[in-house]
Amino acid sequence: GNSVTQMEGPVTLSEEAFLTINCTYTATGYPSLFWYVQYPGEGLQLLLKATKADDKGSNKGFEATYRKETTSFHLEKGSVQVSDSAVYFCALSDRGDDKIIFGKGTRLHILP
Amino acid sequence: EAGVAQSPRYKIIEKRQSVAFWCNPISGHATLYWYQQILGQGPKLLIQFQNNGVVDDSQLPKDRFSAERLKGVDSTLKIQPAKLEDSAVYLCASSLRGGLGNTIYFGEGSWLTVV
């Protein structure tokens, strides 16, 4: 079945550091890929998405590129801020089925 | 634009008791979802409605969980009787029409603790 695997946390970085959170997926079709973010005490928010191979999703300085050959959708940011501290979820939705399957989440702590 | 509204935000009950969560989706959104998020895990879909019909309830534990969306707008998720392992955040979400590529908006969640 379809699944998402993302790196375990917590990830702790200093402010202005470079961030990578790895995500790989398994899917039978051609899924859309997503990154969701959950700030403390808040609901899940869509951060970015990509719907086909080689697409790059971007938002708030975050980027992720849909790599079909490596079945990956790694999240990157060049310079993180304290306000980026949150839990990040990689997710997929298969063609013809909008049920979203989430990874387990990666908690990110940014130190000032 | 108002977001997805959920209540109550927090609930503590004893095992074998019952609990109900309410969700009001974004106005005009035809598709409504209930997800269960256990601590340390990603959200898992429990049930998906399209208007007032059920699209997918394959992961809903039907012996104790039930959900309805009678008028195709707001929805209620009920657990009866509750077990300790039901402690989780219950997330309601909605989207305009469902389908691939359609953006799903989540509420803040209802936090359930079963003791």
Side-chain angles (χ1 to χ4, degrees):
Chain A
N2 297 341
S3 66
V4 174
T5 303
Q6 60 183 107
M7 63 190 289
E8 301 230 357
V11 173
T12 302
L13 295 172
S14 297
E15 204 166 21
E16 299 182 2
F18 184 86
L19 169 71
T20 300
I21 301 178
N22 290 336
C23 171
T24 57
Y25 68 89
T26 302
T28 52
Y30 299 90
S32 288
L33 302 174
F34 308 86
W35 277 100
Y36 279 82
V37 59
Q38 190 171 35
Y39 296 104
E42 299 184 16
L44 279 169
Q45 301 175 27
L46 178 64
L47 180 60
L48 53 86
K49 69 179 182 182
T51 58
K52 61 182 187 295
D54 299 325
D55 268 2
K56 178 186 284 187
S58 61
N59 186 25
K60 298 182 180 180
F62 290 90
E63 292 183 340
T65 301
Y66 189 144
R67 301 287 188 199
K68 194 172 187 297
E69 65 275 14
T70 55
T71 61
S72 65
F73 193 55
H74 304 322
L75 183 68
E76 296 182 336
K77 187 174 184 182
S79 176
V80 292
Q81 305 300 313
V82 172
S83 56
D84 294 327
S85 297
V87 182
Y88 292 81
F89 292 91
C90 186
L92 69 80
S93 175
D94 206 352
R95 180 179 293 275
D97 175 7
D98 64 339
K99 181 169 75 175
I100 293 184
I101 295 170
F102 289 87
K104 291 188 175 181
T106 302
R107 184 173 297 277
L108 175 66
H109 293 291
I110 306 300
L111 304 175
Chain B
E1 178 183 85
V4 177
Q6 291 188 244
S7 67
R9 287 295 311 278
Y10 305 94
K11 191 76 176 179
I12 301 174
I13 62 172
E14 295 182 350
K15 60 184 179 184
R16 291 187 289 275
Q17 286 187 324
S18 64
V19 64
F21 300 113
W22 174 82
C23 172
N24 192 26
I26 293 173
S27 178
H29 280 197
T31 308
L32 185 147
Y33 314 78
W34 283 103
Y35 281 81
Q36 179 193 55
Q37 185 179 7
I38 294 173
L39 187 65
Q41 298 182 20
K44 180 185 80 172
L45 180 69
L46 292 177
I47 188 167
Q48 176 183 345
F49 292 94
Q50 182 73 15
N51 296 308
N52 60 349
V54 175
V55 174
D56 184 349
D57 63 356
S58 57
Q59 298 196 85
L60 186 74
K62 297 180 185 63
D63 57 333
R64 297 182 301 104
F65 285 65
S66 64
E68 59 184 16
R69 193 185 184 200
L70 294 176
K71 296 182 179 179
V73 180
D74 57 347
S75 175
T76 303
L77 175 71
K78 295 180 181 177
I79 307 174
Q80 181 179 12
K83 293 185 175 181
L84 296 177
E85 59 260 36
D86 298 332
S87 295
V89 181
Y90 291 87
L91 298 168
C92 181
S94 70
S95 65
L96 194 58
R97 60 183 180 278
L100 192 63
N102 198 39
T103 299
I104 297 176
Y105 298 88
F106 286 82
E108 294 182 334
S110 292
W111 297 66
L112 173 65
T113 301
V114 182
V115 298

